[in-house]
């Protein structure tokens, strides 16, 4: 079995374990081997842990952990051997190992790897199986374990999974660990996934510190894919308008300190490119507070263009008003014109009512012509009514002819009356 089979949530491992009755076994050979390992395999460097024990209780002494070895052995093997899963088995295992130092856990792993009752499918990459189970309950300890086992430390997917779990439970402590290890030039901190996770955690907890970290660890000329990945994950990670506003404010403050910083500009541009997909499900008030408060006029116009393609925005009338007031020429790419097109797909009658309230003038005439042209196949009668409000012009005549052609297929009699009324009949 390869490593990738074990890089899975413990829920998947759990489904593979059984409801068999918990077996209390005296494993004389294993206990003897364990005691031998305790005497001969002590690692003095492992006592200098950079990750504090996640539990408040003091670590067990060597004698206490040795005494608990049989319980831990039996509990873990009960999970590994079973055909199904019981919560009792897992709880017994973690209760037995909760306060162990990492050095003791390493010795337990080494002992269990050699045990004849370990199922064959778990013998290869056993450490990954063990760490995957441990990280769900004690991710900080799982990361510490990886630091002591070279085979685990080199597994980027496993490391980032454990770190992500730790960030979810205690983002401040996890981020501090990363910054501390980064200062020590710990090779683990070179993992790109780990770096993005640490940056995003700080974007939420302390955005100024997060921006500083990003600028310090990302290359001055970063890979575009990495910047885009960071941006996409950041947009998803930040929870609400307040967190997004805090992040944008931190980017603004950083730009004031370092104007023209190309890396900072790339981070901001990539984020703003991903942002509309998140904004489309927000309320009108939250979106406009963020965009009006933190974006430049150019950024606001571009963000509005991206938003205007979504037809599911709430309170469409307010959105249309807001789009229409954004600066810039009301050309074909202007968000107001683009949004009326999106909105027409959902409720063309509401678009017509909104146009009724729009100030008279050439801009309104253009918007009405476009609207009538868009709906002429689906609703030729409504299109004809809108077109009739336009002043006489060659453009109106062309629109009448197009409406007449569409209407003929739906209602020949009504289309003929329209043609006669508007001088189109031959």
């Amino acid at each position: 079995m390869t490593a990738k089979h074990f890089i899975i949530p413990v829920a998947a491992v759990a489904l593979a374990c059984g409801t068999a009755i918990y077996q209390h076994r005296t494993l004389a050979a294993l206990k003897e081997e364990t005691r031998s390992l305790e005497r001969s395999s002590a690692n003095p460097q492992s006592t200098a842990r950079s990750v504090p024990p996640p539990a408040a209780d003091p670590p067990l002494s060597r004698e206490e952990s040795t005494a608990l070895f049989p319980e831990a052995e039996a509990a873990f093997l009960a999970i590994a051997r079973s055909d199904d899963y019981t919560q009792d088995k897992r709880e017994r295992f973690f209760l037995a190992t909760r306060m162990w130092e990492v050095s003791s856990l390493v010795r337990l792993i080494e002992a269990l790897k050699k045990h004849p009752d370990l199922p064959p499918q778990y013998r290869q990459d056993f450490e990954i199986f063990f760490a995957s189970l441990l990280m769900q309950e004690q991710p900080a300890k799982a990361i510490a374990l990886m630091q002591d086992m070279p085979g685990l430390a080199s597994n980027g997917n496993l490391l980032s999974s454990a770190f992500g779990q730790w960030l979810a439970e205690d983002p401040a402590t996890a981020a501090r660990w990363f910054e501390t290890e980064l200062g020590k030039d710990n090779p683990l901190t070179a993992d790109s996934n780990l770096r993005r996770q640490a940056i995003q955690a700080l974007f939420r907890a302390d955005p100024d510190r997060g921006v500083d970290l990003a600028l310090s660890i990302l290359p001055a000329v970063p890979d575009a894919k990495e910047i885009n990945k960071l941006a996409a994950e950041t947009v998803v990670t930040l929870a609400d308008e307040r967190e997004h506003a805090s992040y944008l404010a931190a980017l603004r403050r950083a730009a004031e300190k370092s104007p023209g910083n190309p890396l900072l500009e790339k981070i901001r541009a990539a984020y703003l490119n991903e942002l509309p997909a998140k904004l489309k499900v927000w309320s009108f008030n939250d979106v406009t507070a963020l965009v009006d408060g933190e974006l430049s006029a150019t950024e606001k116009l571009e963000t509005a263009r991206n938003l205007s393609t979504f037809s599911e925005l709430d309170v469409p009338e307010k959105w249309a008003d807001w789009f229409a007031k954004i600066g810039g020429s009301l050309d074909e790419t202007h968000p107001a014109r683009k949004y009326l097109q999106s909105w027409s797909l959902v409720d063309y009658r509401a678009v017509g009512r909104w146009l009724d309230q729009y100030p008279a003038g050439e801009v309104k005439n253009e918007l009405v012509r476009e609207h009538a042209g868009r709906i002429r196949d689906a609703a030729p009668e409504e299109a004809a009514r809108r077109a009739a409000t336009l002043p006489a012009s060659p453009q109106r005549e062309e629109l009448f002819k197009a409406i007449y052609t569409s209407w003929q297929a739906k209602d020949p009699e009504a289309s003929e009356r329209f043609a006669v009324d508007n001088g189109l009949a031959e």
Side-chain angles (χ1 to χ4, degrees), residues 25 29-30 33 77 111-120 123:
R25 243 197 203 185
L30 180 57
E33 182 180 15
L77 287 172
L112 284 169
K113 280 174 65 176
K114 299 177 181 179
H115 192 269
D117 279 1
L118 184 68
R123 291 189 180 281

Side-chain angles (χ1 to χ4, degrees), residues 222-229 270:
D223 178 71
K225 289 182 179 179
E226 187 65 20
I227 289 294
N228 291 337
K229 189 179 291 186

Side-chain angles (χ1 to χ4, degrees), residues 296-417:
S296 68
T298 302
E299 291 171 338
K300 178 177 176 178
L301 180 59
E302 186 59 31
T303 300
R305 280 198 186 104
N306 291 330
L307 263 177
S308 65
T309 62
F310 297 115
S311 59
E312 63 267 42
L313 301 178
D314 69 336
V315 288
E317 293 80 6
K318 287 186 177 181
W319 282 105
D321 289 341
W322 185 72
F323 287 134
K325 292 174 184 176
I326 289 175
S329 172
L330 205 72
D331 57 19
E332 292 182 357
T333 67
H334 192 278
R337 295 176 78 158
K338 290 168 67 71
Y339 182 61
L340 292 181
Q341 182 176 354
S342 303
W343 188 11
S344 294
L345 299 175
V346 177
D347 191 346
Y348 65 83
R349 290 187 177 85
V351 174
R353 291 192 295 270
W354 183 84
L355 286 169
D356 288 339
Q357 307 302 314
Y358 196 85
E362 185 51 38
V363 171
K364 178 174 183 175
N365 293 339
E366 288 182 19
L367 296 178
V368 170
R369 277 199 300 272
E370 289 178 0
H371 178 59
R374 276 194 300 269
I375 67 173
R376 65 183 175 86
D377 289 333
E381 185 174 5
E382 173 69 8
R385 192 172 75 80
R386 293 292 164 189
T389 66
L390 296 169
S393 68
Q395 293 94 332
R396 188 183 75 166
E397 295 306 309
E398 289 299 318
L399 178 59
F400 278 170
K401 292 176 183 177
I403 293 171
Y404 171 65
T405 301
S406 295
W407 210 346
Q408 277 187 311
K410 283 183 171 287
D411 190 338
E413 292 183 6
S415 67
E416 290 303 323
R417 288 194 298 272

Side-chain angles (χ1 to χ4, degrees), residues 397 400 418-426:
E397 295 306 309
F400 278 170
F418 171 73
V420 172
D421 292 345
N422 291 280
L424 301 179
E426 296 181 354

